[in-house]
Amino acid sequence: MNIPFVKAPMTGNEEKYLLESFRSNFHGGNGPFTKKCHKFMEENFLIGKALMTTSCTDALEMAAFLVDGKPGDEFIVPSYTFSSTANAFASKGMIPIFCDIRRDTLNIDENKIEELITEKTKAIVPIHYAGIPAEMTSINVISKKYGIPVVEDAAQAVNSRYRGKFAGALSDIGTFSFHATKSYSSGEGGALTLNDKKYFDRAEFLWEKGTDRSLVIQGLKNKYSWVDYGSSFLPSDILAAMLYGQFANLNSMQDHRKKIHDSYLRTFKNFKKNGLTMTYVPEHIETNYHAFWVLFEKPQQRDLFLKLSLSEHLNPYIGYIPLHSSPMGQFLGGDRFDLPITDHVASSIARLPFYLMSDKELNFACMKFKEILNIVFSEK
Ligand SMILES: *Cc1c(COP(=O)(O)O)cnc(C)c1O
């Protein structure tokens, strides 16, 4: 048996909607399925306004336009994230100020944000790692105190909740990913989520290539023109149809993921005595069970775990190379940041295979991982 790291999620519903969209002859952007997806996100996640994009990367680029950072301005971001979280803002000439993470959730350490704020800070950009939202109450307090917008990169946290509120509705601006490696997928896809009305109109201009077409559609104007920056951020309605097929099964997909999470937890928690820590869901959070990670005390233990897993055809993954220590991060000044927890996590974490596995695959993976950990922790 071979257990890959991820497989694109499929529920069986997608084909019906894909065909309906394909046959409808409406294949452009902002069609009937795009509108259904917007409505679904706004009503189910209680988001002010949702706009589908071709990726979370694109949604982050829209967010970077909305916060209006100029070259030399700064944004605060965890180093432990994917390149896109920083790239969107850095592409505008903004400078990443890297913040360390918490050891328990691997999210941005909300207690280390305030000391990084300067006159030039134009955005705070937390991510919700592995589907567990960052400490948004504290982050929003800082945001209010200094008047700096928060962009939550909720790429991994679609359908997660923090103190009862859904990811994507936890700050001024949020972003989702519907990439094939995420919990809900249209192959490539994403969404921008807005909760402050002041961004609504401009976001539509950016979305429609810098035109005010949205005002024409609403009947407020009879001809559209070029009014702002923008790009082609909107996906084909065919992709929205695929996503809509998954939205219809959102909760059963989540239940399936919970089963995998619970089995991993039962297997791995026996090794806490060996210093192993793992995905932790704080009491005030309802997770979407996006991912499961384990953190070793020593890099050598992690490396041996990965090596033995591969030889058994299991494919855990090393996780992120921190941005501050990657070539582009260093070019942008990442060297000057001292991020001990980020560095430790990067050297000693393993992300476990996580997708809509069959019971057989899950049982096999848990059995093998247990054998492998017994070997890892018997080594001196
Ligand atoms: C996956 C991911 C992205 C990028 O998503 P795309 O839809 O592939 O652009 C951005 N940020 C985080 C935290 C992610 O996990």
Side-chain angles (χ1 to χ4, degrees), residues 55-58 60 81-82 84-85 127 153 155-156 176-179 181-182 188-190 320:
S55 63
C56 182
T57 301
D58 265 359
L60 285 160
T81 183
F82 186 64
S84 294
T85 318
I127 78 160
D153 179 346
Q156 305 179 14
F176 286 157
S177 174
F178 301 115
H179 186 262
T181 55
K182 298 302 201 278
E188 298 277 353
Y320 295 129

Side-chain angles (χ1 to χ4, degrees), residues 259-311:
K259 204 164 95 181
I260 295 157
H261 172 277
D262 291 351
S263 293
Y264 277 156
L265 192 62
R266 273 196 302 276
T267 305
F268 284 85
K269 75 175 185 209
N270 296 317
F271 297 89
K272 281 188 174 168
K273 60 181 187 300
N274 302 96
L276 194 74
T277 54
M278 59 209 69
T279 293
Y280 155 71
V281 186
E283 244 169 54
H284 56 286
I285 282 168
E286 287 159 74
T287 174
N288 66 354
Y289 303 99
H290 175 65
F292 198 96
W293 51 265
V294 291
L295 182 62
F296 295 85
E297 277 182 336
K298 300 183 193 133
Q300 305 89 290
Q301 295 171 327
R302 191 276 302 264
D303 293 346
L304 183 59
F305 174 77
L306 291 177
K307 196 176 122 196
L308 294 172
S309 297
L310 285 179
S311 70

Side-chain angles (χ1 to χ4, degrees), residues 59-94:
L60 285 160
E61 283 182 18
M62 290 180 73
F65 275 116
L66 291 174
V67 305
D68 230 356
K70 304 282 183 291
D73 284 341
E74 299 171 352
F75 64 105
I76 297 171
V77 67
S79 174
Y80 202 68
T81 183
F82 186 64
S83 56
S84 294
T85 318
N87 233 345
F89 301 89
S91 305
K92 299 259 176 288
M94 293 174 73

Side-chain angles (χ1 to χ4, degrees), residues 117-118 121-124 142-150 172:
I117 290 178
T118 71
T121 312
K122 288 290 148 64
I124 303 170
I142 298 169
S143 160
K144 269 226 169 68
K145 181 169 164 192
Y146 293 92
I148 301 169
V150 175
D172 312 284

Side-chain angles (χ1 to χ4, degrees), residues 14 142 155 178 189 196 202 205 220 257 350 363 373:
E14 297 83 353
I142 298 169
F178 301 115
D196 185 334
R202 182 150 194 240
F205 300 160
L220 300 173
R257 300 184 86 91
N363 292 338
L373 285 180

